[in-house]
Amino acid sequence: MATFIAGIFLGVATILALDQRRHADGKKKRPPAGGMRSKHSMMNMTNITWLHKEFHYSNKELIKIGEEMQRDFAKGLASVETGHKAEIPMIPSYITRLPTGREKGEYLALDMGGTNFRLLKISLPGDGTTLIRSTKAKLPDSVLNGDSSDLFGFIAEKLLSFVPESVDGGKQYDLGFTFSFPVVQTAIDQGKLLRWTKGFKTKGVVDEEVVSLLQKEIDARNMNISIKAIINDTVGTLMARALTDKNCVVGLIIGTGCNTAFVEEASRVGKFSHMTPEGGFKKSDMVIVNTEMGNFSGPKLRRTRVDKLLDAQSLNPGMQFWEKMVSGLYLGELVRLLVVVFAEEGKLFLRGDLAEIWKEKGSLSTYTMGLLEADEDPELRVVEAILQRDMNTFGSSLNDRTFLKSICKTISKRAARVAAAGVFATLLQVQRKRVTVAVDGSIFKLYPMFHHWMRDAVEMMIQESGLQTQVEIVDAEDGSGVGAAAAVAALVGA
Ligand code: BGC
């Protein structure tokens, strides 16, 4: 929130400066005669109606998408394959117990899932609370574009500066590794990367044992650190909330990427059947499943022309369709593509040619999109300032700005509602009376209105479908870090 607010302040400051200049010139413009009834605003109305038709999902449609997702969950759960073809992989995390909150000890956690990664030292005093010391670093392009030893070597170096006391037979630490990509696990501390998502492309990691790659670099630096668990951020978020909330059986991330994890009966997880005890699983035996539902692409998820364009230019075409409609890596880009389409059709930015920057992939970030959407000024002067400052676009009309704001809102609202269908699907799958869904991720936490729209849509789907679940969707604090420590503590702790 702080970043958005800071950004908005910056926008407002720029606008005030612009305004003062206008006053000084004595040229402050009056709104166009006829206001919203001008010819262009009539055109805006038609365009906005078109946008609505193309991108809006009714509650009924959302319920259908949720049902379709749930059928895919069931298929993925029954299957023993997590090959590249499996639509929703449904990967068992090998975590079979939720934390009790009584876990104790001091652990390290490493959280990697975007271009920033974090190192955390977490103390669990045994009453469900946590004490955290953490540091954050950015993965430089040389590392992102390099190979596995560049990546894990860089991380190990940072770890070395974070816990120098662990070197040369020094203090021993157990580490939980939150690695937020699709990893096909074969044990709680083993798994191979199925594929990169979120724009990652570091070579030599896909199909490799991720824990071994990192442990090798740690050992090469003579650190007394042992990786005890590799977990997904959705699993971590679920675990972190479960420290204090026994109804928490779903973890959700809506940030750069998106995904869910939930608690499932162990006997229903095909890929976990080799773990069946001699006497068979009891009804109460559970395992947390990382769905990797970002890859959902059922036919009810209508893909428009811009969705197809976005997919074709992405690093993973044909994959992660749900994620490409919902997550932060893609929303700004969808808006940019729509602006280009509308400008080419002569419906937007009519005064002069469209600035070249609009044609550059990634030139409109989701962060900027949020600022455009948050402008409540009647003349949309924040939008105007951003267009000038960031998008080289001068002389926009109020109609242009109104329409641009509608485009942003259309895309973010669709994202929130389609995300809600994912939540509804998990509720259909877990079938419990009371469920807490723990959510983390920048889009859920920071994007204006997103969490309201998502919560409303989930409530509507529950009501209209008659599902007997009382849901609480809560903002999870630092799930990816604390969850990794909780997972390790549950394994080795007191
Ligand atoms: C990854 C998931 C992750 C999600 C949120 C997706 O791109 O495949 O593993 O949970 O992003 O970080």
Side-chain angles (χ1 to χ4, degrees):
M1 184 58 78
T3 350
F4 262 102
I5 291 173
I8 288 166
F9 276 143
L10 193 71
V12 170
T14 321
I15 282 147
L16 289 179
L18 273 172
D19 222 28
Q20 269 170 8
R21 227 173 43 213
R22 278 204 201 105
H23 279 299
D25 298 350
K27 279 193 205 152
K28 188 171 191 288
K29 266 196 248 150
R30 293 165 64 86
M36 290 304 286
R37 284 188 302 279
S38 71
K39 181 170 144 239
H40 285 313
S41 61
M42 288 304 287
M43 192 163 88
N44 261 357
M45 284 301 287
T46 351
N47 291 338
I48 290 168
T49 316
W50 179 88
L51 274 177
H52 187 79
K53 265 209 208 125
E54 195 77 353
F55 290 92
H56 178 73
Y57 288 99
S58 66
N59 293 336
K60 275 203 181 63
E61 285 178 300
L62 290 181
I63 292 174
K64 289 259 178 307
I65 294 175
E67 289 169 348
E68 207 170 48
M69 284 171 162
Q70 194 260 327
R71 280 195 293 275
D72 278 10
F73 283 166
K75 249 191 263 165
L77 282 174
S79 155
V80 287
E81 191 202 335
T82 319
H84 293 263
K85 279 177 264 141
E87 270 236 318
I88 303 190
M90 307 301 281
I91 303 167
S93 65
Y94 288 75
I95 294 179
T96 53
R97 263 190 308 156
L98 291 176
T100 58
R102 290 189 297 277
E103 290 76 8
K104 283 185 184 162
E106 189 181 44
Y107 305 95
L108 294 179
L110 203 161
D111 175 17
M112 181 194 150
T115 48
N116 285 318
F117 75 96
R118 285 180 321 143
L119 298 165
L120 305 96
K121 200 189 272 180
I122 299 170
S123 300
L124 304 172
D127 58 2
T129 62
T130 45
L131 294 167
I132 303 175
R133 182 167 83 79
S134 70
T135 176
K136 196 158 128 178
K138 194 171 158 41
L139 292 169
D141 284 345
S142 57
V143 163
L144 293 171
N145 297 324
D147 63 18
S148 67
S149 58
D150 295 319
L151 177 63
F152 294 108
F154 181 83
I155 293 176
E157 278 300 315
K158 294 286 172 193
L159 200 52
L160 186 61
S161 347
F162 187 59
V163 278
E165 70 274 18
S166 72
V167 181
D168 294 334
K171 188 165 176 191
Q172 198 275 333
Y173 285 106
D174 289 327
L175 182 144
F177 183 16
T178 305
F179 185 70
S180 306
F181 298 95
V183 169
V184 181
Q185 288 189 235
T186 45
I188 190 153
D189 59 353
Q190 270 172 34
K192 289 187 179 174
L193 178 65
L194 182 63
R195 55 177 165 258
W196 280 124
T197 55
K198 297 181 277 199
F200 269 69
K201 53 177 188 231
T202 310
K203 292 178 272 301
V205 190
V206 173
D207 288 333
E208 297 298 326
E209 279 289 346
V210 182
V211 172
S212 313
L213 293 175
L214 177 60
Q215 187 70 59
K216 196 174 95 196
E217 297 294 339
I218 291 175
D219 295 345
R221 284 157 185 83
N222 223 1
M223 285 183 273
N224 201 358
I225 296 174
S226 164
I227 307 173
K228 292 289 184 201
I230 178 164
I231 66 167
N232 189 259
D233 49 358
T234 52
V235 176
T237 300
L238 192 168
M239 291 286 281
R241 176 74 189 192
L243 279 167
T244 53
D245 179 349
K246 64 177 178 1
N247 291 321
C248 183
V249 288
V250 181
L252 166 68
I253 302 285
I254 306 179
T256 309
C258 60
N259 186 19
T260 59
F262 57 81
V263 172
E264 183 54 273
E265 280 175 33
S267 60
R268 297 213 288 203
V269 187
K271 293 168 206 83
F272 205 58
S273 53
H274 61 289
M275 298 295 284
T276 314
E278 239 172 63
F281 281 120
K282 294 196 289 294
K283 178 98 175 125
S284 57
D285 288 335
M286 52 72 75
V287 61
I288 300 179
V289 173
N290 164 21
T291 64
E292 286 298 334
M293 69 180 294
N295 202 37
F296 173 76
S297 67
K300 297 270 182 301
L301 208 56
R302 279 184 269 122
R303 285 188 305 129
T304 66
R305 181 170 150 202
V306 284
D307 292 308
K308 288 180 189 158
L309 279 172
L310 177 121
D311 179 51
Q313 65 168 32
S314 70
L315 284 178
N316 50 358
M319 301 195 135
Q320 304 290 106
F321 286 156
W322 184 65
E323 178 166 87
K324 284 174 181 164
M325 280 191 191
V326 173
S327 80
L329 186 62
Y330 304 105
L331 300 184
E333 184 63 2
L334 284 170
V335 169
R336 182 191 73 80
L337 288 168
L338 265 171
V339 166
V340 173
V341 167
F342 280 120
E344 275 168 2
E345 289 177 2
K347 293 175 177 161
L348 191 59
F349 300 138
L350 301 180
R351 301 183 192 153
D353 291 338
L354 185 69
E356 280 304 307
I357 188 167
W358 283 104
K359 297 177 192 150
E360 286 167 23
K361 185 176 158 192
S363 57
L364 183 81
S365 67
T366 303
Y367 168 73
T368 305
M369 170 188 169
L371 294 181
L372 296 173
E373 196 175 324
D375 187 4
E376 293 298 338
D377 177 77
E379 286 191 57
L380 297 179
R381 287 178 296 171
V382 173
V383 174
E384 186 177 23
I386 292 172
L387 283 173
Q388 296 182 3
R389 189 190 63 191
D390 295 353
M391 302 308 289
N392 237 353
T393 301
F394 299 87
S396 64
S397 66
L398 178 58
N399 284 305
D400 286 333
R401 301 196 291 277
T402 309
F403 187 33
L404 177 59
K405 186 174 159 176
S406 303
I407 294 176
C408 297
K409 186 169 166 193
T410 302
I411 294 297
S412 64
K413 199 164 187 181
R414 180 183 72 160
R417 290 174 64 80
V418 167
V423 175
F424 181 65
T426 59
L427 300 179
L428 286 176
Q429 180 65 28
V430 298
Q431 290 288 341
R432 298 192 186 207
K433 277 215 168 66
R434 296 171 76 91
V435 173
T436 303
V437 178
V439 197
D440 206 346
S442 53
I443 297 297
F444 180 79
K445 287 184 186 234
L446 304 176
Y447 198 94
M449 296 305 290
F450 191 98
H451 66 106
H452 295 295
W453 288 331
M454 192 184 97
R455 284 192 170 102
D456 284 355
V458 172
E459 286 300 341
M460 288 309 298
M461 280 184 266
I462 292 177
Q463 265 176 37
E464 290 187 20
S465 66
L467 183 69
Q468 295 300 308
T469 299
Q470 231 182 307
V471 68
E472 219 193 320
I473 297 177
V474 300
D475 201 329
E477 273 314 314
D478 205 0
S480 314
V482 175
V488 176
L491 277 177
V492 302

